[in-house]
Amino acid sequence: MPPSLDDLRRHAVARSLFAPTTLMDAVQRLGGFVQADPLRAPARAQDLTLRQRVRNYRAGDLERRYPTLPLQEDFFINYGFVTPELRALMHPRTARRVWDKARWKLAQQVLEVVGELGEAHPADVDARLGQGAVKNWFGGNSRLSTELLDGLHYRGKLDVVRRDSGTRCYALAAPWPEPPDKDAAMAAMDAMTDALLQKYAPLPAGSLSTLISMLYSAAWQWVDLRKPTLARAKARLQSARVDGEDWFWPAGEDPSQGWRIPAKVRLLAPFDPLVWDRRRFERLWGWAYRFEAYTPAAKRVRGHYALPLLWRDRVIGWSNLKVVDGRLQHELGFVDGRPREAAFTAALEAELTAMAGFLGLPA
């Protein structure tokens, strides 16, 4: 008997919101990847994601501990923190934008300066080279040396070794092995697909297709392998047709096993694994969540940085949080009204108290 949509919903919540563990174990259980975002409202997305899954986690812990962790900032399907094992599947990587000889000559100058400095802040590289300004991808101006640092990092020539007030600082990366042959490349694509399933399953067919398509960011050199990768995934993953749609999840998992979901409130990051896939979100919880930080204020429906509110196994609303005079304030919204259970009120207060502690604020 195939699972029901309720089974899939509980499966999604139980497998993603596992018991809090160590930071590195949590990253591994999230497929080896934590998405990053620079906005802090009231904390960055990577911290909001990890606070639900890491014991005694505090805002900023990932950045503070980063220089000593076996993690690297890099692109996967988007930008974030990846394990060495996942990063090795993507490199040596080619880029969609091909640099001509003149650009590579400038890039080589950047590499030489980084090598001389050991650890390089973009301002130090620019001071040494004075390469001038260029138009960046969103139409503004940035320093050419900064753009080259970003491009060299994407191409695996540089590592991010730390952040200085939020700015990436770089060192030369170790040389990557020779590119794999086609069989090894297909195995790497399958392994990256498994990482996506580990993080986002169970997935409707459309979402699985979208995620594998997005692997062009991880490995542009294998962009033509995405279609056969999707076909292999559909053949080897477990699946069922639920409410007229095919769903997929890793082999060996059973969405119908009777997951126990605690009576807890969770305020989730806009990029949390339970939230990120908007197609799946609408299928599982029956309403459309939109990230509105870049929407003009007058057009926002739920707020600048609305955090989806999970109660038990249902996302029933959202909360906007802000810190005023050293205290955490919140505004709530609900899709179908606030639950009247006393248990909900107690769970909400517990979550807000935990959020304040995570931010280093009084309860």
Side-chain angles (χ1 to χ4, degrees), residues 22-319:
T22 64
L23 195 157
M24 283 307 304
D25 185 54
V27 175
Q28 292 284 2
R29 296 185 66 169
L30 291 171
F33 171 68
V34 177
Q35 183 174 347
D37 187 82
L39 292 181
R40 180 161 28 200
R44 293 187 175 96
Q46 54 268 35
D47 291 325
L48 291 168
T49 297
L50 291 171
R51 71 169 283 263
Q52 299 285 2
R53 299 165 173 91
V54 178
R55 288 191 299 267
N56 303 316
Y57 190 86
R58 296 293 180 265
D61 277 356
L62 180 58
E63 185 172 325
R64 283 189 290 270
R65 294 180 56 190
Y66 175 79
T68 64
L69 292 171
L71 293 173
Q72 260 294 320
E73 292 192 34
D74 206 340
F75 287 85
F76 183 38
I77 58 168
N78 36 46
Y79 192 80
F81 299 83
V82 300
T83 60
E85 296 83 5
L86 181 57
R87 194 178 189 219
L89 296 173
M90 302 183 278
H91 291 277
R93 176 160 63 195
T94 60
R96 186 173 187 174
R97 179 185 177 188
V98 178
W99 283 354
D100 58 21
K101 289 184 179 180
R103 179 56 64 99
W104 271 113
K105 183 177 181 180
L106 294 171
Q108 187 60 42
Q109 294 174 7
V110 170
L111 289 173
E112 290 172 0
V113 170
V114 174
E116 292 172 11
L117 294 173
E119 292 187 5
H121 188 288
D124 297 330
V125 176
D126 187 65
R128 291 279 294 272
L129 296 176
Q131 293 175 324
V134 293
K135 288 288 184 183
N136 54 38
W137 67 273
F138 52 87
N141 291 321
S142 62
R143 308 303 295 177
L144 175 57
S145 52
T146 299
E147 184 175 286
L148 290 170
L149 287 166
D150 288 345
L152 288 165
H153 176 222
Y154 179 80
R155 289 165 175 80
K157 304 294 186 181
L158 295 174
D159 291 339
V160 175
V161 291
R162 61 183 174 84
R163 292 253 181 174
D164 185 350
S165 299
T167 299
R168 291 189 290 255
C169 296
Y170 300 92
L172 296 179
W176 293 99
E178 289 297 311
D181 60 23
K182 186 175 181 180
D183 288 343
M186 289 190 296
M189 290 290 283
D190 289 344
M192 286 189 283
T193 299
D194 289 341
L196 293 172
L197 266 291
Q198 176 64 27
K199 188 176 182 74
Y200 296 114
L203 285 167
S207 296
L208 177 64
S209 177
T210 296
L211 283 165
I212 291 176
S213 177
M214 291 178 70
L215 287 175
Y216 75 86
S217 295
W220 178 255
Q221 66 274 21
W222 300 327
V223 65
D224 294 335
L225 297 181
R226 293 175 299 170
K227 187 173 181 179
T229 298
L230 176 61
R232 288 195 304 276
K234 288 184 174 180
R236 65 188 172 82
L237 295 172
Q238 287 192 239
S239 65
R241 193 159 185 83
V242 182
D243 289 0
E245 190 167 24
D246 292 328
W247 286 75
F248 296 86
W249 57 89
E253 296 186 7
D254 179 9
S256 304
Q257 75 172 45
W259 301 95
R260 295 183 61 187
I261 308 298
K264 297 182 69 172
V265 166
R266 316 263 196 160
L267 295 176
L268 304 174
F271 307 113
D272 189 276
L274 285 172
V275 177
W276 181 85
D277 178 8
R278 306 299 191 245
R279 178 190 285 107
R280 188 183 81 152
F281 188 99
E282 292 185 35
R283 303 295 192 277
L284 293 181
W285 289 292
W287 60 282
Y289 170 78
R290 297 291 181 266
F291 182 55
E292 299 178 319
Y294 302 107
T295 301
K299 295 184 179 180
R300 291 173 187 154
V301 176
R302 298 186 174 90
H304 167 257
Y305 204 82
L307 305 179
L309 188 157
L310 178 73
W311 167 231
R312 295 191 173 115
D313 66 338
R314 301 273 180 162
V315 180
I316 62 170
W318 60 93
S319 178

